[in-house]
Amino acid sequence: MSQRLVVIGSQWGDEGKGKITDFFACRADMVVRFQGGNNAGHSVMFNGKKYSLQSIPSGIFNPSTVNIMGNGMVVNPESVVVELQKLRDQGITDFQLFISDRAAMVMPWHADLDGAYEAQKGNKLIGTTKKGIGPAYCDKYSRSGLRMGDLLEPDYFAQRLHDAMVIKNRELEMLGLPSYDYQKVYKRFMDLAEILGPRITDTSYLINKYLREEDKKILFEGAQGMMLCIDHGTYPYVTSSTPSAASVPVGAGIAPQWINNVLGVAKAYCTRVGEGPFPTELFDEIANEIRERGHEYGTVTGRPRRIGWFDAVVARYTSQIAGISSWALMLFDVLSGLKTVKICTHYELDGKIVETPPSTISKLSRCKPVYIELPGWNEDISGIKSFDELPQNAKNYVRKIEEITGVPVGVLSVGPDRSQTILISPLLQEF
């Protein structure tokens, strides 16, 4: 029977999923993205080179790995073509990539509408990347969007495109934005179909075939983080999909019983990009020090990330919702040299102790973190290869996170390269 591993973000995104997914993708026969789009940038570093990905799965660097962009994604064909060309320019030319024929398409007007909707919010911005992801998901659920499989039938696509553009051009004009020429859009997407057409297929069939084969290793790769979940995140400052292991079956086209090993990726501290409440946020020199050490700037936007201490309230909450069975604790080396380190164990809201994040940003904004403080460590841990070699205070920090969250740490990252990864969990060592 196949082995399956789900890798998801457990905070506000940017946790280091790219590195962890790449690490396990080297061993995987298949890597599947099951939600999100090209707003989900992440970086991978190996052999001294840094690669940036947006919508393409992290297994793209392994020629023997089958990479799947699942039906739960919203796919920008233009962006995929650009991303593939960038990889080729960097010497990545031998790869396997397939795109679900049922994945929703991000069309040119979606980014325009994304920016316009955001501008109308005035000083109450969501902080969207303006890539058109939200409007694409809106069209999907209003049943007016186009799908990747439509590109394989030119006449069918022509009619679907015409019907969509009648509505969207009217909306653009109402917002004072330029409309699109039907013939130009049709021709451009037929050109894209020539390039991507051979990769568009029923990916659910491919995934299920691998699931039933002996000794196949399948990695499911989430985008963003659980606190950006449309249902369970800090709404409305969230993404437009559900970056949880619970959405893998729908977003990949498989049955729920296949999901039983979930790795929650969490930084050894917390970061957030964009707007929204962030209870453990720091505004001092420690925040600046961590930001510079951890190179905490957005992969897609370049925006500086907000910095905070590790939030165990968030970790407990996301672990129970997503069924996290172990943590991958990332950027652990960044904390070296700090005199003390803190972990938020609870919130205080209006004088009462709170165990889980409130559902409204009004209440979450009033939450004050309750911390425990632990001694830091000065040693450089970036070259350490095993948990036993870590300084005692670093070990204490890891064990305290396990104790407070109730979830074991299975992976420690002590640097950006693949080789700077410590596997603790025997189950993960077998993958």
Side-chain angles (χ1 to χ4, degrees), residues 63-373:
S64 62
T65 300
V66 176
N67 292 272
I68 302 290
M69 297 174 67
N71 59 273
M73 292 186 68
V74 288
V75 178
N76 184 329
E78 188 85 60
S79 174
V80 173
V81 169
V82 170
E83 200 171 343
L84 287 173
Q85 187 56 55
K86 184 178 178 182
L87 286 169
R88 290 190 183 98
D89 293 343
Q90 293 177 298
I92 310 299
T93 57
D94 187 9
F95 50 78
Q96 301 180 66
L97 176 68
F98 296 98
I99 305 170
S100 172
D101 51 11
R102 291 167 171 80
M105 264 198 289
V106 180
M107 302 302 290
W109 49 80
H110 286 140
D112 299 336
L113 294 171
D114 204 353
Y117 297 157
E118 188 79 338
Q120 290 177 341
K121 295 181 175 71
N123 62 355
K124 297 181 179 179
L125 299 177
I126 297 298
T128 170
T129 59
K130 300 182 178 66
K131 296 284 185 178
I133 306 303
Y137 271 116
C138 284
D139 284 357
K140 172 180 178 175
Y141 289 108
S142 69
R143 300 176 295 280
S144 62
L146 292 94
R147 305 202 297 181
M148 291 299 294
D150 300 350
L151 293 174
L152 302 181
E153 299 183 63
D155 291 342
Y156 179 73
F157 175 74
Q159 185 58 56
R160 295 280 295 147
L161 179 66
H162 175 270
D163 294 346
M165 289 189 69
V166 168
I167 298 169
K168 293 303 169 182
N169 274 340
R170 189 180 302 143
E171 186 175 358
L172 290 167
E173 290 165 3
M174 289 173 62
L175 290 168
L177 298 171
S179 58
Y180 283 87
D181 180 86
Y182 169 81
Q183 291 298 334
K184 289 181 179 178
V185 174
Y186 177 78
K187 182 181 184 307
R188 178 54 188 153
F189 274 76
M190 285 298 96
D191 290 342
L192 292 169
E194 284 288 321
I195 300 169
L196 297 178
R199 303 186 184 278
I200 300 171
T201 189
D202 182 351
T203 55
S204 172
Y205 174 80
L206 294 178
I207 299 167
N208 277 283
K209 184 174 182 292
Y210 267 53
L211 284 170
R212 288 173 171 81
E213 290 187 17
E214 289 289 335
D215 300 324
K216 293 294 186 185
K217 295 179 179 179
I218 305 170
L219 189 63
F220 296 94
E221 175 185 7
Q224 291 100 18
M226 278 298 299
M227 291 306 289
L228 297 176
C229 172
I230 188 72
D231 287 298
H232 301 289
T234 50
Y235 190 90
Y237 298 103
V238 292
T239 191
S240 300
S241 59
T242 300
S244 169
S247 67
V248 171
V250 174
I254 64 172
Q257 66 260 28
W258 292 110
I259 305 305
N260 60 0
N261 187 11
V262 182
L263 182 61
V265 186
K267 280 178 180 166
Y269 46 96
C270 278
T271 64
R272 180 164 193 171
V273 171
E275 306 301 320
F278 186 11
T280 67
E281 185 169 12
L282 299 171
F283 301 95
D284 54 14
E285 283 305 309
I286 290 178
N288 294 332
E289 187 175 349
I290 291 175
R291 184 180 296 111
E292 294 308 313
R293 277 197 202 174
H295 309 291
E296 295 293 357
Y297 297 89
T299 303
V300 175
T301 63
R303 289 181 292 185
R305 295 176 184 140
R306 298 156 66 190
I307 308 295
W309 292 118
F310 187 88
D311 191 331
V313 180
V314 163
R316 288 194 301 264
Y317 175 68
T318 57
S319 67
Q320 70 182 16
I321 292 171
I324 292 171
S325 47
S326 60
W327 298 117
L329 202 60
M330 310 300 292
L331 289 103
F332 193 44
D333 55 302
V334 172
L335 296 182
S336 293
L338 297 180
K339 186 176 181 180
T340 60
V341 287
K342 294 182 181 180
I343 299 172
C344 171
T345 58
H346 301 84
Y347 298 152
E348 182 183 312
L349 173 61
D350 301 335
K352 296 180 180 179
I353 293 297
V354 175
E355 296 279 355
T356 62
S359 66
T360 68
I361 58 171
S362 171
K363 286 184 178 179
L364 188 57
S365 297
R366 300 201 305 274
C367 285
K368 298 176 181 178
V370 178
Y371 290 116
I372 58 170
E373 191 166 0

